[in-house]
Structures are given as structure tokens and as C-alpha cells.
Amino acid sequence: MSTPWTTPMPEEQFAFLRDILAAPSPIGMEGAMTHGVIEPRLREMVPASWAMHRFRGNAGLVVDSAPGREDLLKVMVIGHADKIRMQVRSIGSDGKIWVNSDSFLPMTVIGHQVKLFSEDPDAPGRYRVIEGGTIEALGAIHFASPELRTGRKGIKAEQLFLELQLSGEKRKDQVQRLGIRPGDPILLDRPIRRGFGPDSYYGAYLDNGLGCYVAAEVARLLADAGGVEKVRYLGAFATHEEIGRQGSRVLAQEFRPDVVIGVDVSHDFDAAPGIGDKRMEPIKMGGGASLSFGAVCSAQLNSMMMEAAKEHDIPVQPKSAGRDTGTDAMAAVLASIDSAATSVGVPIRNMHTISETGHTGDLIAASHLCFELIRLLDARGISADSFREGHPRLDGSEALGWQAPKDEAEDEHGDEDDKPA
């Protein structure tokens, strides 16, 4: 049976995804994605009665299906718009722009083309972009130590610099005249493109434009379905996740949702090199959305998620979470808000590199998982009190004995009693 997650993503939706991921939205300056790409598209997709909420202290955005309706069950699906970035640290006498690699491994950024964004010192509030620069560290293999050449030692973060191909005299002065200063953000320059493998794509900043895509796609699916009556959908596009999930906790405090679903990327552990001895979950790209169990994830909410997935044949891969999900699913508890929460993931490879890789089927599955959960909550009239009263009781667990292995000759969906004598 053909489903949205087993068919190629339509080009219009892939173009929207590309625009989200290409938007220059480093930590603390997310407006290009939230207000420049997502908000205009949402206004085309949802009814005029829906509200768009902006905020004073950050460029976050929330699309609200039923503004002011505090009597409805409030479900917030959160993606985060901020991208990890490099930053200018200092300018050398030879014109080298020394950079901070932030959450990138230094070796993964060498040689890649980047964009530097800088505020005009003569016109504060106006920004310029410098394109064509690359991140370097050694200059050439000939200048590397024997340990570096053989791979016994690696590149240190403090060795990284931005190469602007300057020449001539007073190169430091040439840089300073551009208005470049410490703290200026630097972003990798590689928009996504479709990959070689079926339904694959790769490029920079899947983390976490994918979560923002899901929050927007759920809004579109709900609008196309005519909305819901007993649920207030809050599609949230948060800021500052990469430096401690500061933005989503503000949004949670503002709206005090009953249900929080953080949507982020997760690792394709199945294909990750060198971690076989860690015995990680067999989550894989192309296997569907991941769903976290543990940390602050609500057992009853997860049960409803799995029920919705089973009913609609949505592929879901269970993922363990220890003390912390590591995602915006923690937004409510970090803001001291009483919400049922869980974390949905989109498995990718090569996280925090210029060649992050994903599968469109997983992205679509994550979107429909959240959409179908909301429809289930609406159909059943689930309220905040339902969550207060529905906590599982393990003291009522049933004893489980040994289970016979499945007969290899048995049809996958058959039953022993149905087999001919």
C-alpha cells in the first residue's frame, strides 16, 4: 500500500524544506528562517483565523489554530530554528580571521565554503554578508607535523581561521575596514539537494530545520483536514536550542501547553561507524520516525503515539532516553510547566557536518505521527484531566511467561490455528 512516507516527497514540499534549511539563522539571529521563510508560507497554508505569535526577546514564532481558547487541550509541537555556527574570535596581523568552531568538530569544517555575516559599524542594525571564504587550519599538508600527516594527532579548534583570499599590504587593515568584529557568525554554505539513494537528501543544517518543517507540515495537514474541534494546535519554532534550549522554555511559559512534543534530528545508529561496542538502538535512516522512551517522556502520551502509528501504519522506531532527551521535549519541565511530553526524532547521518544526510520518508512519517496523534486526541476528547488520571500503574501488570518461537513456515500475519491440517 502506498503511503506518503513510502512515496517521493513532492518537489514543492522539498523546495520549502530547502528554503528552511538554507535560511541564515545562526543562534540568536533566527528571524531569516522563522519570519522570512516559515511565517509567509504558513499564512498561505492555514486559515486567516489562525494567529501568528512573535516575541520580544527572541525571533521565535508560534502558529496558533485557536487563539484565546484556553478551554481546549493545548498541544505544542516544537522545532528549533537556530543553527550551530562558527564565530569570529580575532583578526591576525596577516589578515587571518581566527574563528571559534562552536559545536563543529574542527576537522569537519576544513576547506568548506562559508558565509560571514557582519553588522555595518556605520549603520547599526544593517547586516552585510561576505561570501566565498573557506575555513582552513594548516595551509597545506607540507606545513603539518608528522603526527598530523599520519593521523595520530588531529586539528585543534584554535587552529581554525577564515581564508578570504586577501593579498597585498596591510591585510589586517583590509579586514578591519570590512567591519568584521569578534562574535560575527559564520555559516556553512551548502543548501540541500536530493541524494543518490532513493528518497535521500544531504547538505547542511538538517539539525534542526527538519523539526521546524514538521511543525509547519502538521499545521498544513490540520488545515487541509478542516481543523480539529477539541485541540488547540501550537506549532512552535524556537530559538537558542543549541546553547541550552533557552528559547523553547520561554514559549512553554508563554502558552503553558498541556502536551509538548519536541521534534529534532536523531542519529542513524545502524550506520554510524565505530560504535558497534556501544550496543545502541538499531535506529536507521529510512526506518521511520524515532520516539523516545525515558527521561521526562510521558508513558501515556507515548502509548497514544504508538496507537496512532499502529492505526495508520506509520513506521516508528523506539529510542531510549536517560536523564534528558537532549531536545526541546524538555521545554515544559525546564520552564516548570506541568505538561505531558515526548520527543520525536528524524534519523540522520553525519550530524553537525556540511553533509548531513536524511530520508524524506522519515520526515513525512514524523509529520503524520504528530498529526494523527492530534486527531486521536480530538476524536476521544482527551483533556488535561485525562492525562492527570491516566498514568500507568505497574502494580497491575500481568505475569508474562515463556513464548514459543514463531514457526518459520508461518505466514508473517497468519496464525497457527489457520494453518491446514
Side-chain angles (χ1 to χ4, degrees), residues 43 46-52 67:
R43 291 191 183 279
V46 304
S49 61
W50 291 31
M52 303 286 173

Side-chain angles (χ1 to χ4, degrees), residues 63-77:
V63 58
D64 184 350
S65 69
R69 292 291 304 276
E70 294 296 321
D71 56 311
L72 303 180
L73 182 76
K74 291 182 287 186
V75 177
M76 178 176 280
V77 175

